Amino acid sequence: MIIVMSRDVTEEQIGVVVKKLQDAGLDANISRGVERTVIGAIGDERKLTEEMFTPLPGVESAMHIVKQYKIVSRESHPQNTVIDISGIPLGGNQIQIIAGPCSVETQQQMDLSAQYVSEAGCRLMRGGAFKPRTSPYTFQGKGVEGLDMFRQAAKKFKLPIVTELMDVRMLDTFLENDVDVIQIGTRNMQNFDLLKEVGRINKPVILKRGMSATISEWLMAAEYIAAGGNHNIIFCERGIRTFETYYRNVLDVTAIPVMKKETHLPVIVDPSHAGGKAWMVAALSQAAIAAGADGLLVEMHPNPSEAWCDADQALTPQELKKLMGVLTGIAAAIGRTL
Amino acid sequence: MIIVMSRDVTEEQIGVVVKKLQDAGLDANISRGVERTVIGAIGDERKLTEEMFTPLPGVESAMHIVKQYKIVSRESHPQNTVIDISGIPLGGNQIQIIAGPCSVETQQQMDLSAQYVSEAGCRLMRGGAFKPRTSPYTFQGKGVEGLDMFRQAAKKFKLPIVTELMDVRMLDTFLENDVDVIQIGTRNMQNFDLLKEVGRINKPVILKRGMSATISEWLMAAEYIAAGGNHNIIFCERGIRTFETYYRNVLDVTAIPVMKKETHLPVIVDPSHAGGKAWMVAALSQAAIAAGADGLLVEMHPNPSEAWCDADQALTPQELKKLMGVLTGIAAAIGRTL
Amino acid sequence: MIIVMSRDVTEEQIGVVVKKLQDAGLDANISRGVERTVIGAIGDERKLTEEMFTPLPGVESAMHIVKQYKIVSRESHPQNTVIDISGIPLGGNQIQIIAGPCSVETQQQMDLSAQYVSEAGCRLMRGGAFKPRTSPYTFQGKGVEGLDMFRQAAKKFKLPIVTELMDVRMLDTFLENDVDVIQIGTRNMQNFDLLKEVGRINKPVILKRGMSATISEWLMAAEYIAAGGNHNIIFCERGIRTFETYYRNVLDVTAIPVMKKETHLPVIVDPSHAGGKAWMVAALSQAAIAAGADGLLVEMHPNPSEAWCDADQALTPQELKKLMGVLTGIAAAIGRTL
Amino acid sequence: MIIVMSRDVTEEQIGVVVKKLQDAGLDANISRGVERTVIGAIGDERKLTEEMFTPLPGVESAMHIVKQYKIVSRESHPQNTVIDISGIPLGGNQIQIIAGPCSVETQQQMDLSAQYVSEAGCRLMRGGAFKPRTSPYTFQGKGVEGLDMFRQAAKKFKLPIVTELMDVRMLDTFLENDVDVIQIGTRNMQNFDLLKEVGRINKPVILKRGMSATISEWLMAAEYIAAGGNHNIIFCERGIRTFETYYRNVLDVTAIPVMKKETHLPVIVDPSHAGGKAWMVAALSQAAIAAGADGLLVEMHPNPSEAWCDADQALTPQELKKLMGVLTGIAAAIGRTL
């Protein structure tokens, strides 16, 4: 940690800072510049918080120089982590496209969806049984019954399933229903009690980025899960909130190379929620894979205009199939496989 | 709802939209303009979602013209609602300043805090027993033990208490500990299961604005609570996330008159989290009251530089007292009392 | 235009709106719904502004339903426009990579740069003679002398040149120096006098997106140029400003399919300014091309660590060459050529 | 400047950084921590840019510790600067409300406006002769003729005038027309050639904050003016761009205490453009004054619903008068006068 002292700092004020560092078990390096004196902490700065120093007299600012995340950082684990999802590898050279409808509606819809997902060449399936909806007056998901329909449909095609957990009290139900991957949604990225609970189990977790979460906050949220013992974490970029109103979110494609640099864990992208319109999904999917994403979480519905939620953004089965073809070419261009 | 058809729309496509409106129990008004045909829904448009229409062929866009929130809207309840917090009115002509430390630390710290809060003329007290922290490695709050310390301290000065609930599983504990006001934090504004639970009880709830929540999303989150039967909702603006890095958040002072226009419920402001620095708090508090806020949620600590969390932003007891004096003058200037 | 009347509107207030529409030469369609009355304007709504109606008693809101841009819109010109840049086509099936240093430094640096650009297979060259710098105390560009160096270097390799114009008073000098493409920078996207001036000439113009400009504002800025008679406009996405601080800007890859839908004009991307770090450029370039961009504006310097400005973001000649290879593969995967 | 070296840095890499510092005339302090080595620059770090070091091998990051602005900083000039505007002081204890219409329309409208402005107790008048409009197809201002109308009207009531300059080529015309204060609009905050030109004259300049400019960029833009010799700079906060769509901009009230801390120059607020609606103006004005602004730039029109531009946001003469009364009370509460 670097502590910048203000212009008119006194020796006594410097002494107080040095004392506080020593009390925490660190040493101090004092650098007296022309306009500012800077105190550097020598030792494990993760024990310190900036606010231990900023309220002290004579302190102008304090800043960490070491990242606050540990287990999830690439510094602690230089090699890519490949996560095994019921036999399907995620995070290796092979890219995984996880497709399926926004929400579970009926057994028939799920059966058809699973068939199309499989036929398109995808090896994992997504679908929501519990839906976080902005309005309390709209469809909130089929709940536990939906989990069962999803499981039934996916089993026929041997597709591991990904579905969202919103409430800590439902975790046991998810485990009993053999959910293969638990998704933490964008609104719950900093629901710390939920993160702690999924940190205690041994299932892969997809952690979506909060809609206005910084890279650092996202990594720290994952650190909550990892600190509990569960290191099977998959990051999912799904678009961030900006001033632009033409589209729902801005897919932050820059986050892909940045996350791949900062963490050893896989990074996937949800192009469907990012844009919010089906006609944008192909372009965004292509961009994500070209930028180095390890996979996609993409919405497909057997009949999009009849979907019970987010009808606007689902691909048709035909569109998904076509997209898989283009993505295969892009994967090859960057030395990967689909 | 207004449905704008694309330039080359056919009569058949118009027919499909009209049919869908009629199936939902509404009528259609068709306006054929020079460049666009527009279909207006006649009936209760809250039954409709935009995505029921936008995926249909020939539809360019669809937009609600009536707000989606009902119970919390001023349209449904033109008079201001005054909430009774264990005898203290919030939302009327009298402004309430809720003060106290960021987190509960020790019984002594809480006793001192309660005394200073009371001496400054505040009638309600705040304090956190469960703390949402970005890092899993930092102090997470004193928990249930902290609730008890808080209650003990506040009781001596007859101060109703405000504290944050993060986990649905702790709700009963909060009720058993006679928490007077339950605070839902910024990270949980769209934790819908938590909202539903506090909607089932009969306690005042402070709903903080999500750090990048729109006015509309904030009102819809409150609607989740209200739809459960609990109408004792207090909105709290606490700064929004923007591109600016000099300060933690941007206090959205415009939200105050806007919320007062849209809802009959009280609107308060948290100037401490908004700025993140104690030296900004007086200016932000003054601005909030001058703009029409019904109260403040402000951090004060007996000894800020020793605070266990957010040491940077707590006022000293003396600063709080001085601020109360200035706010009294501003309240008078706008025809209110403190 | 749609004018939504407030709940308690009177017939007289409706009459005033209808009269104002008629005075402007349009007709009105009145749709009386259950909760709101909506008035639709029949005629050329571009004559109207929303603020003609919103201050009137009984009006709740007014919104355009037709886009305000005309000449640049795809609606007015469905086919892609291919712009001829001194013999090089931009906007067709062939993708153009425009490379070169951030700023012109010396004749030798420019000669070397031109050689590397050409050797990498690029057909156009970029370089800044006038630099918009945040601080008045940093290098402001070589000015007119720089233009001459640039021209000399590019001529040897028959590379048309792209350079930024900041000041209307320099336009004649740019024309005298045979600048092939005039670039309008992000800070000048709404410098309307500058836009009007480049609208009067017959040179291709690259219009960078303002760092927080909406899609609509960007298109309207181009409309300023187009309205003057110059339709040779190339849009350049260069990253937008958000809350994220890890990288300088967020490359808005969603803008690519959206702009291709809204306008017939070419859309290129500047991956160098978007990320601000050389190690991000390959991933962002690949994403941009995969998403459908017609070209790139990318920084390369013979010796990045010695560059006089933006040293952080320039590729080496070797990195540019390697990138061109990967982009060739991606272009093929989406049916285009490089 | 602090240069943080990466974990596996070599002695040779440290040597290269030290050499580069020495070449620039500074010394180095090397602090070898447990996880990172940090090099501090001893000397005038304003000679350095971060990008001089970040591309070097072994460098993780570099950051300035001294602010880059000098003349405008409070560090260089601790006392408040009071600017004399043709006899009216701005920046002292007395708050100045600058009122008038958005745009100059007719002589009669300006005569009436000047009368109302004067009658309300304001001592300065605003009005736009050149208007920056998003669309090329809307009213662009009355131009030079408008300047003359404005001058005529204001003279009768001895009101110094404030008006916006968009084009460097019009500066002489502004001087010939005795404009008292030149306003630089939000879109031109980083039009560096325009800033340099107004830096060469001796007139007060109002520098509006760019709609997504950081505090630091804003101060640096002012430094461009100051570096030219003109220190008569007034900062004007006018709302920033965020994700919120209910209102046009978010008035950044936090910027007021922050700017007062960072600079000795006056800071005023434009509540009209911030909110975009007349009904928000009183609340925002009150907030701005309560937070410590030295003045306001507020729109008033004799007949708002007939205004040629921004009709939505102008106060009526009666509303302005009433607002002045409330502001007088708030000013008193914070120890100032109106």
Side-chain angles (χ1 to χ4, degrees):
Chain A
M1 179 170 281
I2 293 292
I3 298 145
V4 180
M5 307 305 289
S6 58
R7 203 177 193 177
D8 308 317
V9 70
T10 64
E11 283 305 310
E12 197 193 336
Q13 290 167 341
I14 292 174
V16 171
V17 170
V18 171
K19 176 77 167 44
K20 198 151 191 172
L21 281 173
Q22 288 168 345
D23 288 350
L26 290 90
D27 281 330
N29 170 288
I30 304 177
S31 165
R32 294 171 203 273
V34 174
E35 297 190 56
R36 293 288 186 284
T37 290
V38 174
I39 302 174
I42 313 288
D44 180 7
E45 69 163 61
R46 285 198 191 80
K47 293 180 189 169
L48 312 174
T49 64
E50 291 164 7
E51 63 201 32
M52 285 171 65
F53 300 95
T54 42
L56 297 176
V59 173
E60 193 171 279
S61 63
M63 44 199 152
H64 280 286
I65 56 166
V66 175
K67 302 288 169 53
Q68 296 308 291
Y69 36 93
K70 287 189 290 197
I71 308 173
V72 304
S73 76
R74 191 173 282 279
E75 197 164 299
S76 74
H77 185 297
Q79 298 305 312
N80 281 342
T81 286
V82 180
I83 293 178
D84 180 315
I85 305 176
S86 310
I88 308 298
L90 181 58
N93 197 60
Q94 191 184 54
I95 291 162
Q96 302 298 348
I97 310 301
I98 310 169
C102 179
S103 67
V104 177
E105 298 165 9
T106 65
Q107 189 64 58
Q108 192 197 7
Q109 169 244 16
M110 291 309 286
D111 289 347
L112 262 175
S113 294
Q115 183 187 330
Y116 287 129
V117 166
S118 180
E119 284 176 8
C122 304
R123 287 174 290 267
L124 294 148
M125 186 171 172
R126 57 149 292 151
F130 297 86
K131 302 299 304 172
R133 303 302 300 275
T134 304
S135 165
Y137 306 124
T138 51
F139 174 57
Q140 307 273 313
K142 295 288 281 185
V144 180
E145 184 193 2
L147 282 185
D148 186 58
M149 290 179 192
F150 190 3
R151 164 56 60 211
Q152 297 296 331
K155 204 162 49 179
K156 292 179 209 158
F157 299 92
K158 302 207 172 79
L159 296 164
I161 66 173
V162 176
T163 197
E164 179 167 353
L165 176 69
M166 292 167 63
D167 185 340
V168 279
R169 296 169 300 184
M170 292 305 296
L171 181 54
D172 287 344
T173 308
F174 271 54
L175 297 178
E176 287 157 17
N177 276 271
D178 291 329
V179 169
D180 298 281
V181 184
I182 292 174
Q183 178 180 315
I184 304 292
T186 186
R187 291 168 186 79
N188 284 313
M189 191 200 85
Q190 290 191 319
N191 182 336
F192 298 121
D193 291 290
L194 187 58
L195 298 180
K196 285 174 182 170
E197 288 301 322
V198 298
R200 288 185 189 119
I201 59 169
N202 195 23
K203 284 271 178 196
V205 175
I206 289 179
L207 180 65
K208 286 200 160 186
R209 183 180 184 182
M211 63 186 77
S212 65
T214 62
I215 292 292
S216 168
E217 289 169 338
W218 194 13
L219 287 158
M220 288 309 288
E223 193 79 15
Y224 262 93
I225 302 172
N230 187 354
H231 297 189
N232 298 306
I233 306 164
I234 299 151
F235 291 95
C236 181
E237 158 67 27
R238 44 75 71 201
I240 58 172
R241 183 158 279 188
T242 74
F243 59 83
E244 182 59 65
T245 55
Y246 193 108
Y247 19 99
R248 189 159 49 181
N249 298 292
V250 166
L251 177 64
D252 182 5
V253 82
T254 314
I256 302 169
V258 166
M259 289 296 284
K260 295 303 290 180
K261 182 164 186 273
E262 290 297 321
T263 181
H264 54 93
L265 295 163
V267 178
I268 66 173
V269 165
D270 176 345
S272 308
H273 284 87
K277 298 286 174 192
W279 63 265
M280 301 174 183
V281 170
L284 299 182
S285 299
Q286 293 162 202
I289 297 306
D294 295 307
L296 298 179
L297 200 61
V298 64
E299 294 197 1
M300 182 229 59
H301 193 280
N303 187 1
S305 69
E306 294 302 316
W308 297 7
C309 108
D310 282 350
D312 248 24
Q313 71 195 34
L315 297 183
T316 62
Q318 294 68 38
E319 288 166 339
L320 177 63
K321 209 165 202 169
K322 191 180 160 207
L323 176 60
M324 291 295 283
V326 177
L327 296 181
T328 302
I330 293 176
I334 58 170
R336 298 183 77 165
T337 61
L338 196 73
Chain B
M1 178 170 282
I2 293 292
I3 299 146
V4 180
M5 307 304 289
S6 59
R7 202 178 195 177
D8 308 317
V9 69
T10 65
E11 283 306 309
E12 198 192 333
Q13 291 168 339
I14 292 174
V16 171
V17 170
V18 172
K19 176 77 168 42
K20 199 151 190 171
L21 281 173
Q22 288 168 345
D23 288 351
L26 291 89
D27 280 330
N29 170 287
I30 304 177
S31 165
R32 292 170 203 275
V34 173
E35 296 191 57
R36 292 287 186 284
T37 290
V38 173
I39 302 174
I42 314 287
D44 180 8
E45 69 163 62
R46 286 197 191 80
K47 293 180 190 170
L48 311 175
T49 64
E50 291 164 6
E51 64 200 32
M52 285 171 66
F53 300 94
T54 42
L56 297 176
V59 173
E60 193 171 280
S61 63
M63 42 199 154
H64 280 286
I65 55 167
V66 175
K67 303 289 169 53
Q68 295 307 292
Y69 36 93
K70 286 189 290 196
I71 308 172
V72 305
S73 75
R74 191 174 281 280
E75 195 165 300
S76 75
H77 186 296
Q79 298 304 311
N80 281 343
T81 286
V82 179
I83 294 179
D84 180 313
I85 304 176
S86 309
I88 308 296
L90 181 58
N93 197 60
Q94 191 184 55
I95 291 162
Q96 302 298 348
I97 309 301
I98 309 170
C102 180
S103 67
V104 177
E105 298 165 7
T106 65
Q107 189 64 57
Q108 192 198 8
Q109 168 243 16
M110 291 309 287
D111 289 347
L112 262 175
S113 295
Q115 183 187 330
Y116 286 129
V117 166
S118 180
E119 284 177 7
C122 303
R123 288 173 290 266
L124 294 148
M125 186 170 173
R126 57 149 292 150
F130 297 88
K131 302 299 304 172
R133 304 301 301 273
T134 304
S135 165
Y137 307 123
T138 51
F139 174 55
Q140 307 273 314
K142 295 289 281 186
V144 180
E145 184 194 2
L147 282 186
D148 187 57
M149 290 178 190
F150 190 3
R151 163 56 61 210
Q152 298 295 331
K155 204 162 48 181
K156 292 178 208 157
F157 299 91
K158 300 209 173 79
L159 296 165
I161 66 173
V162 176
T163 197
E164 179 167 352
L165 176 69
M166 292 168 63
D167 186 340
V168 281
R169 295 168 301 184
M170 292 307 295
L171 181 55
D172 287 345
T173 308
F174 271 53
L175 297 180
E176 287 156 17
N177 277 271
D178 291 329
V179 169
D180 298 282
V181 183
I182 292 175
Q183 178 181 314
I184 303 293
T186 187
R187 290 170 186 79
N188 283 314
M189 191 199 85
Q190 289 191 320
N191 181 336
F192 298 120
D193 291 290
L194 187 59
L195 298 179
K196 285 174 183 170
E197 288 301 323
V198 298
R200 288 186 189 118
I201 59 169
N202 195 22
K203 284 270 178 196
V205 175
I206 288 180
L207 180 65
K208 286 200 159 185
R209 182 181 184 181
M211 62 187 77
S212 66
T214 61
I215 293 291
S216 167
E217 288 169 338
W218 193 13
L219 287 158
M220 288 308 289
E223 193 78 16
Y224 261 93
I225 302 172
N230 186 355
H231 296 190
N232 298 305
I233 306 165
I234 299 150
F235 291 94
C236 181
E237 159 65 28
R238 44 75 72 202
I240 57 172
R241 181 157 280 186
T242 74
F243 59 84
E244 182 58 66
T245 56
Y246 192 110
Y247 18 100
R248 190 160 47 182
N249 298 292
V250 166
L251 176 64
D252 182 5
V253 82
T254 314
I256 302 170
V258 166
M259 289 296 284
K260 295 302 290 179
K261 181 164 186 274
E262 290 296 321
T263 180
H264 53 95
L265 295 162
V267 178
I268 67 173
V269 165
D270 176 345
S272 308
H273 283 87
K277 297 287 175 192
W279 62 265
M280 301 173 183
V281 170
L284 299 183
S285 298
Q286 293 162 200
I289 297 306
D294 296 307
L296 298 179
L297 199 62
V298 64
E299 295 196 1
M300 182 229 58
H301 192 281
N303 187 0
S305 69
E306 294 302 316
W308 297 7
C309 108
D310 282 350
D312 248 23
Q313 71 195 33
L315 296 183
T316 63
Q318 294 70 37
E319 287 166 340
L320 176 63
K321 210 165 201 168
K322 190 179 160 209
L323 176 61
M324 290 295 283
V326 177
L327 295 182
T328 301
I330 293 176
I334 59 168
R336 298 183 76 165
T337 61
L338 197 72
Chain C
M1 178 170 281
I2 293 292
I3 299 146
V4 181
M5 307 305 289
S6 59
R7 204 176 193 176
D8 309 317
V9 70
T10 64
E11 284 304 309
E12 196 193 335
Q13 290 167 341
I14 292 174
V16 171
V17 169
V18 172
K19 175 78 166 45
K20 198 150 189 171
L21 281 173
Q22 289 168 343
D23 287 352
L26 290 89
D27 281 331
N29 171 288
I30 304 178
S31 165
R32 291 169 204 273
V34 173
E35 297 191 56
R36 292 288 186 286
T37 290
V38 173
I39 301 173
I42 314 289
D44 179 9
E45 68 163 62
R46 286 198 190 79
K47 292 179 189 168
L48 310 175
T49 65
E50 292 163 5
E51 63 199 33
M52 284 172 66
F53 299 95
T54 42
L56 296 176
V59 172
E60 193 170 281
S61 63
M63 42 199 152
H64 280 287
I65 56 167
V66 175
K67 303 289 171 49
Q68 297 306 293
Y69 35 93
K70 288 189 289 195
I71 307 172
V72 304
S73 75
R74 192 174 281 280
E75 197 165 300
S76 75
H77 185 298
Q79 300 303 311
N80 281 342
T81 287
V82 180
I83 293 179
D84 180 315
I85 305 177
S86 310
I88 308 296
L90 180 58
N93 197 62
Q94 190 184 54
I95 292 163
Q96 302 299 348
I97 310 300
I98 310 170
C102 180
S103 67
V104 176
E105 298 165 8
T106 64
Q107 188 64 56
Q108 192 198 9
Q109 168 244 17
M110 291 309 286
D111 289 346
L112 262 174
S113 295
Q115 183 187 331
Y116 286 129
V117 166
S118 180
E119 283 176 8
C122 304
R123 287 174 288 267
L124 294 148
M125 186 172 175
R126 57 149 292 150
F130 297 87
K131 301 299 305 172
R133 304 302 299 276
T134 304
S135 165
Y137 306 123
T138 51
F139 174 56
Q140 307 272 314
K142 296 288 281 186
V144 180
E145 184 194 2
L147 282 186
D148 186 58
M149 291 178 191
F150 190 2
R151 164 56 61 210
Q152 297 296 330
K155 203 162 50 179
K156 291 178 208 157
F157 298 91
K158 301 210 172 79
L159 296 164
I161 66 173
V162 176
T163 198
E164 179 168 352
L165 176 69
M166 294 168 62
D167 185 340
V168 279
R169 296 169 299 185
M170 291 306 295
L171 182 54
D172 287 344
T173 308
F174 271 54
L175 297 179
E176 287 157 17
N177 276 271
D178 291 328
V179 169
D180 298 281
V181 183
I182 292 174
Q183 178 182 315
I184 304 292
T186 187
R187 292 169 185 78
N188 283 313
M189 191 201 84
Q190 290 191 319
N191 181 336
F192 298 121
D193 291 290
L194 187 59
L195 298 179
K196 285 174 183 170
E197 287 301 323
V198 298
R200 289 188 188 116
I201 59 168
N202 195 24
K203 283 271 179 195
V205 174
I206 288 179
L207 181 65
K208 286 200 160 186
R209 184 180 182 182
M211 61 185 80
S212 66
T214 62
I215 293 291
S216 168
E217 289 169 338
W218 193 11
L219 287 158
M220 288 309 289
E223 193 79 16
Y224 262 92
I225 302 172
N230 186 355
H231 297 190
N232 298 305
I233 305 166
I234 299 150
F235 291 95
C236 181
E237 159 65 29
R238 43 76 72 201
I240 57 172
R241 181 159 279 189
T242 75
F243 59 84
E244 181 59 65
T245 55
Y246 192 110
Y247 19 98
R248 189 159 47 180
N249 298 291
V250 166
L251 177 63
D252 182 5
V253 81
T254 314
I256 302 169
V258 166
M259 289 295 284
K260 294 303 291 181
K261 182 165 185 274
E262 290 297 322
T263 179
H264 53 94
L265 295 162
V267 177
I268 66 173
V269 166
D270 176 346
S272 307
H273 284 86
K277 298 286 175 192
W279 62 265
M280 301 174 184
V281 169
L284 299 183
S285 298
Q286 292 163 200
I289 297 306
D294 296 305
L296 298 178
L297 199 61
V298 63
E299 294 195 1
M300 183 230 58
H301 192 281
N303 187 2
S305 69
E306 294 302 317
W308 297 7
C309 108
D310 282 349
D312 249 23
Q313 71 195 33
L315 297 182
T316 62
Q318 294 69 37
E319 287 166 339
L320 177 62
K321 209 164 201 170
K322 190 178 159 208
L323 176 60
M324 291 293 284
V326 177
L327 295 182
T328 301
I330 293 176
I334 58 168
R336 299 182 76 165
T337 60
L338 197 73
Chain D
M1 177 170 283
I2 293 292
I3 298 145
V4 181
M5 307 304 288
S6 59
R7 203 176 194 179
D8 309 317
V9 69
T10 64
E11 284 305 310
E12 197 193 334
Q13 290 167 341
I14 292 174
V16 170
V17 169
V18 172
K19 176 76 167 44
K20 198 150 189 173
L21 281 173
Q22 289 168 343
D23 288 351
L26 292 89
D27 281 331
N29 171 286
I30 303 177
S31 165
R32 291 170 205 273
V34 174
E35 296 191 57
R36 292 288 186 285
T37 290
V38 173
I39 302 173
I42 314 288
D44 179 9
E45 68 164 61
R46 286 198 191 80
K47 292 180 189 169
L48 311 175
T49 64
E50 292 164 5
E51 64 198 32
M52 284 172 67
F53 300 94
T54 43
L56 296 177
V59 173
E60 193 171 278
S61 63
M63 42 200 154
H64 280 285
I65 55 167
V66 175
K67 303 289 170 51
Q68 297 307 292
Y69 35 93
K70 287 189 289 195
I71 307 172
V72 304
S73 75
R74 191 173 281 281
E75 197 165 299
S76 75
H77 185 297
Q79 299 304 312
N80 281 342
T81 287
V82 180
I83 293 179
D84 180 314
I85 305 177
S86 309
I88 308 296
L90 181 57
N93 198 61
Q94 190 184 55
I95 292 164
Q96 303 298 348
I97 310 300
I98 310 169
C102 180
S103 67
V104 177
E105 297 166 7
T106 65
Q107 188 64 56
Q108 192 198 6
Q109 168 244 16
M110 291 309 286
D111 289 346
L112 262 175
S113 295
Q115 184 187 331
Y116 286 128
V117 165
S118 180
E119 283 177 6
C122 303
R123 288 175 289 269
L124 294 147
M125 186 171 175
R126 57 148 292 151
F130 298 86
K131 302 300 303 173
R133 304 302 301 273
T134 304
S135 164
Y137 305 123
T138 51
F139 174 57
Q140 307 273 314
K142 295 289 281 187
V144 180
E145 184 195 2
L147 282 186
D148 186 58
M149 290 179 191
F150 190 2
R151 165 55 61 212
Q152 297 295 332
K155 204 162 49 179
K156 291 178 209 157
F157 299 90
K158 300 210 174 79
L159 297 164
I161 66 173
V162 176
T163 197
E164 179 168 352
L165 175 69
M166 295 168 61
D167 185 341
V168 280
R169 296 169 299 184
M170 291 305 296
L171 181 54
D172 287 344
T173 308
F174 271 54
L175 298 179
E176 287 156 17
N177 278 271
D178 291 328
V179 169
D180 298 281
V181 183
I182 292 174
Q183 178 181 315
I184 303 292
T186 187
R187 291 170 186 78
N188 283 314
M189 191 200 85
Q190 289 191 321
N191 181 337
F192 298 120
D193 291 290
L194 186 59
L195 298 179
K196 286 174 183 171
E197 288 301 322
V198 297
R200 288 188 188 116
I201 59 168
N202 195 23
K203 284 271 177 195
V205 175
I206 289 179
L207 180 65
K208 287 201 158 184
R209 184 181 183 181
M211 62 185 79
S212 67
T214 62
I215 292 291
S216 168
E217 289 169 338
W218 194 12
L219 287 158
M220 288 308 289
E223 193 79 16
Y224 262 93
I225 301 173
N230 186 355
H231 297 191
N232 298 305
I233 306 166
I234 300 150
F235 291 94
C236 181
E237 158 66 28
R238 45 75 72 199
I240 56 172
R241 181 158 281 187
T242 74
F243 59 84
E244 181 58 66
T245 55
Y246 193 111
Y247 18 99
R248 189 159 49 181
N249 298 292
V250 167
L251 177 63
D252 182 5
V253 81
T254 313
I256 302 170
V258 166
M259 289 295 284
K260 294 304 290 181
K261 182 163 186 276
E262 290 297 321
T263 180
H264 53 94
L265 295 163
V267 178
I268 66 172
V269 165
D270 177 344
S272 308
H273 283 86
K277 297 286 174 192
W279 62 265
M280 302 176 184
V281 170
L284 299 183
S285 298
Q286 293 163 201
I289 297 306
D294 296 307
L296 298 179
L297 200 61
V298 63
E299 294 196 1
M300 183 229 58
H301 192 281
N303 187 1
S305 69
E306 294 302 317
W308 297 8
C309 109
D310 282 350
D312 249 23
Q313 71 194 35
L315 297 182
T316 62
Q318 294 69 37
E319 288 166 339
L320 177 62
K321 210 164 201 169
K322 189 178 160 209
L323 176 60
M324 291 294 284
V326 177
L327 295 181
T328 301
I330 293 176
I334 58 169
R336 298 183 78 165
T337 61
L338 197 73

